[in-house]
Amino acid sequence: MAVGFRILSRKRVVAGEWIERARALPVANISDVMSRIASGGATLRPMHAAGGMAGPALTVKTRPGDNLMVHKALDMAVAGDVIVVDAGGDLTNAIFGEMMLAQAARRGVAGIVIHGAIRDAAAIRANPLPVFAAGVTHRGPYKDGPGEINGPIAIGGMAIQSGDLVLGDDDGVLAVAIDDCRTVIEGAEAKQAAEAKQMAAIEAGTLDRSWVDASLRRLGCEMPEV
């Protein structure tokens, strides 16, 4: 077995129901429900025109600066997939560019995440297909391998299994394990409903803000007498 240079089969894929329900939620609310502990890192920023991303992960791990396995993942992807690439966060060579974007769009890919650099930034910025990356460089990639497809990866300490739910919006990228989707999405929906009520109270000028002073007193903050 060529550990580090192999293509595995994807055993499970997140159900479409959770993808659609997650698509209607802010990534921040889903993150809060996950105890604010999961994150792909603040360096993963949206590079595309606008819009959110949700879909099952097609994972790729490659050595920094090489995109051979990313090209293979493009050929394997099915409509709705999010190709998630752990390229070590290195920004020396671009892993993804305009030609690959066109191929991803043709395959019906729902999004691209590159823990590394892209190039052809203007073309990507003008396109609605979601692309998240850690940076931009004009220097092109190598195509020699090694790498793995459909194996476990980790980006910024966030573990991702192939088939997991991957989300992205202007606040960044987040992965939700398949077995956690029901708990997380239902919790985020409840949080979203509670925030809608809070926003209505703010607009009406009736929001109770007494918790701020109560928290300061509980924490022993010295405060002037009112």
Side-chain angles (χ1 to χ4, degrees):
M1 182 180 295
V3 175
F5 202 8
R6 58 187 177 180
I7 298 170
L8 306 171
S9 298
R10 187 162 57 177
K11 304 297 185 183
R12 303 171 65 200
V13 174
V14 60
E17 174 188 358
W18 306 122
I19 297 171
E20 292 308 311
R21 288 169 68 171
R23 201 187 305 277
L25 297 167
V27 168
N29 280 2
I30 298 173
S31 178
D32 284 354
V33 170
M34 296 174 72
S35 300
R36 304 178 174 91
I37 201 169
S39 170
T43 61
L44 286 178
R45 305 308 308 149
M47 301 290 179
H48 56 290
M53 173 185 74
L58 175 58
T59 58
V60 181
K61 185 174 180 65
T62 185
R63 71 178 177 91
D66 193 288
N67 74 353
L68 176 61
M69 295 303 257
V70 184
H71 278 281
K72 180 59 178 176
L74 280 171
D75 292 341
M76 294 172 59
V78 299
D81 278 347
V82 175
I83 297 176
V84 186
V85 183
D86 175 12
D90 184 79
L91 304 181
T92 306
N93 298 85
I95 300 298
F96 189 85
E98 182 179 10
M99 296 299 180
M100 298 175 79
L101 179 71
Q103 180 67 12
R106 184 172 180 81
R107 299 287 295 184
V109 168
I112 303 288
V113 178
I114 305 291
H115 188 215
I118 62 162
R119 67 177 180 177
D120 305 322
I124 290 173
R125 190 165 54 245
N127 196 290
L129 198 159
V131 176
F132 292 79
V136 178
T137 179
H138 55 77
R139 295 176 61 173
Y142 301 99
K143 293 177 171 57
D144 303 306
E148 293 191 345
I149 296 175
N150 284 328
I153 61 173
I155 295 177
M158 180 175 68
I160 308 169
Q161 298 279 351
S162 205
D164 283 350
L165 175 60
V166 178
L167 309 163
D169 65 15
D170 285 345
D171 288 335
V173 174
L174 181 64
V176 184
I178 293 174
D179 292 333
D180 293 336
C181 281
R182 178 181 294 275
T183 298
V184 169
I185 300 305
E186 289 180 349
E189 287 172 339
K191 179 176 176 60
Q192 181 78 347
E195 287 190 354
K197 292 180 180 178
Q198 186 177 14
M199 185 64 73
I202 291 173
E203 292 172 353
T206 59
L207 184 67
D208 181 4
R209 299 282 296 168
S210 62
W211 68 269
V212 177
D213 285 351
S215 294
L216 290 170
R217 292 190 185 95
R218 175 176 58 81
L219 294 167
C221 178
E222 183 177 341
M223 299 170 62
E225 295 294 332
V226 179

